[in-house]
């Protein structure tokens, strides 16, 4: 990002941005300011590319009917229509083939475009916007909708807008279970055979513990409130009883006074 663009938006810790980004599939109808769209696209522009070839282009789509057509082309993912902006990332196959041959087409172009997409999504999150990456689409329909020439291939779409949902943190594997040491399959917890199963159990236990803690808290609160209500009622009763005794004593005293010569 250029210095000028950086100046406009608050600085947020990159690790926090990475951790808190979520795929957003519900958006408000608030339009996204052009400056912000620019900041997001610019973050894609500065992503790493093979040999600095920059063999992608970005198409910003605001038009309502095009977004509707794109949502349909994306296997009827109609939630996409709600996102006020779509950014299509396309790969320039001819360019990358000239420099890197088939490997360039199969790997580098896709990798570059994916890196640009991730940069955009992180930048968007950092400035208060939501995104969702979408690559389930009918390629020929997307090509038609946007008039892409023969050597330009769509890679993915970043849906962009102000989020209208706060999704929960999705389940992710633990680092120790997706990272090997020195060679394939060498885990630091070597005894774990079925990682998926164990992780799921870990998560169930974690969630169970959290639920348990929440229940204990709720019961505790309820008990405290019930205890408070009971002691208030007892105090009220004691007060009534004291009033009654006081009244009786006063009456007795009055009668005794009357009885005196
Ligand atoms: C290659 C790729 C394709 C995706 N395609 C879609 C898609 O077509 N529709 C969708 O709703 N989300 C899509 N997503 C988003 C994923 O569903 C999402 O990243 C995943 O559920 C994890 O959630 P998170 O992004 O909040 O961490 C895609 C993500 C990737 C990386």
């Amino acid at each position: 990002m250029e210095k000028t663009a950086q100046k406009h938006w608050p600085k947020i810790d990159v690790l926090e941005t990475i951790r808190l980004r979520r795929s957003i599939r519900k958006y408000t109808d608030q339009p996204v300011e052009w400056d912000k769209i620019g900041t997001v696209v610019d973050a894609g522009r500065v992503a790493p590319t093979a040999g600095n070839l920059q063999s992608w282009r970005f198409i910003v789509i605001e038009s309502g009917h095009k977004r509707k057509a794109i949502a349909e082309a994306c296997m009827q993912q109609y939630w996409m229509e709600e996102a006020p902006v779509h950014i299509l990332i396309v790969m320039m196959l001819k360019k990358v083939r000239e420099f890197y041959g088939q490997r360039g087409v199969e790997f580098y172009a896709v990798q570059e475009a994916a890196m640009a997409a991730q940069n955009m999504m992180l930048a968007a999150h950092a400035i208060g916007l939501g995104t969702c990456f979408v690559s389930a689409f009918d390629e020929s329909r997307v090509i038609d909708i946007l008039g892409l020439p023969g050597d330009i291939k769509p890679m993915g779409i970043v849906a962009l807008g102000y989020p209208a949902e706060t999704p929960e943190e999705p389940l992710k594997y633990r680092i120790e279970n997706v990272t090997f040491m020195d060679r394939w399959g060498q885990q630091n917890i070597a005894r774990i055979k079925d990682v998926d199963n164990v992780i799921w159990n870990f998560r169930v236990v974690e969630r169970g513990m959290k639920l348990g803690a929440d229940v204990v808290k709720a019961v505790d609160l309820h008990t405290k409130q019930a205890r408070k209500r009971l002691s208030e009622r007892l105090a009220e009763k004691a007060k009534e009883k004291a009033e009654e005794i006081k009244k009786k004593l006063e009456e007795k005293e009055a009668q005794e006074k009357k009885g005196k010569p």
Side-chain angles (χ1 to χ4, degrees):
M1 260 180 271
E2 310 291 329
K3 268 194 181 141
T4 46
Q6 265 181 356
K7 253 197 311 192
H8 293 302
W9 319 117
K11 234 180 157 187
I12 296 179
D13 176 33
V14 70
L15 290 178
E16 190 183 304
T17 306
I18 291 169
R19 277 193 181 280
L20 298 181
R21 178 210 58 80
R22 302 274 178 271
S23 286
I24 299 294
R25 299 182 183 87
K26 284 196 173 90
Y27 295 90
T28 69
D29 51 15
Q30 186 181 341
V32 181
E33 300 84 338
W34 266 101
D35 280 7
K36 288 197 174 181
I37 298 174
T39 296
V40 170
V41 174
D42 206 43
R45 184 183 65 85
V46 296
T49 59
N52 202 24
L53 213 56
Q54 301 160 62
S55 62
W56 28 236
R57 292 295 180 267
F58 313 121
I59 304 181
V60 176
I61 306 152
E62 271 204 318
S63 138
H65 77 270
K66 289 222 162 153
R67 282 186 287 116
K68 183 167 189 272
I70 295 274
E72 266 162 14
C74 290
M75 315 303 167
Q76 288 86 41
Q77 296 193 60
Y78 289 114
W79 62 265
M80 288 180 75
E81 266 189 85
E82 253 187 39
V85 180
H86 294 172
I87 304 170
L88 174 68
I89 302 167
V90 298
M91 305 177 285
M92 305 178 78
L93 296 186
K94 187 164 169 279
K95 186 175 179 181
V96 83
R97 187 180 291 111
E98 274 167 17
F99 278 80
Y100 295 115
Q102 198 53 20
R103 187 167 176 81
V105 171
E106 279 175 18
F107 288 94
Y108 302 166
V110 182
Q111 290 165 341
E112 287 180 14
M115 288 189 189
Q118 179 70 353
N119 264 19
M120 287 188 201
M121 293 192 287
L122 293 177
H125 180 86
I127 59 175
L129 295 167
T131 57
C132 186
F133 184 77
V134 175
S135 68
F137 53 74
D138 177 332
E139 199 172 305
S140 58
R141 284 180 74 181
V142 171
I143 288 172
D144 274 357
I145 295 163
L146 297 160
L148 305 181
D151 62 322
I152 304 295
K153 189 178 162 83
M155 190 285 293
I157 297 157
V158 175
L160 177 74
Y162 284 96
E165 64 168 346
T166 315
E168 277 197 16
E169 186 183 355
L171 285 178
K172 305 271 182 189
Y173 292 130
R174 288 168 175 280
I175 185 169
E176 62 268 34
N177 296 318
V178 291
T179 313
F180 300 139
M181 293 294 288
D182 295 329
R183 69 169 177 82
W184 172 261
Q186 184 156 283
Q187 287 172 269
N188 43 4
I189 308 175
R191 275 167 300 176
I192 295 177
K193 297 270 190 308
D194 184 347
V195 171
D196 288 12
N197 186 35
V198 170
I199 289 309
W200 175 240
N201 289 340
F202 275 169
R203 293 295 184 178
V204 168
V205 171
E206 265 176 14
R207 286 182 175 201
M209 280 164 66
K210 189 177 176 303
L211 185 72
D214 288 349
V215 169
V216 168
K217 241 192 253 164
V219 168
D220 194 38
L221 182 69
H222 189 74
T223 312
K224 264 190 203 141
Q225 283 170 345
R227 216 182 288 142
K228 190 169 170 246
R229 275 200 304 273
L230 182 68
S231 59
E232 277 168 3
R233 235 182 296 144
L234 286 175
E236 193 62 35
K237 280 259 178 272
K239 203 175 152 199
E240 277 171 21
K241 200 78 193 154
E243 291 286 341
E244 204 182 300
I245 293 169
K246 193 177 160 210
K247 206 170 153 201
K248 275 190 186 155
L249 281 174
E250 280 168 359
E251 279 170 8
K252 203 174 160 206
E253 223 175 298
Q255 268 182 0
E256 277 173 4
K257 264 190 193 163
K258 254 196 227 165
K260 273 189 187 166

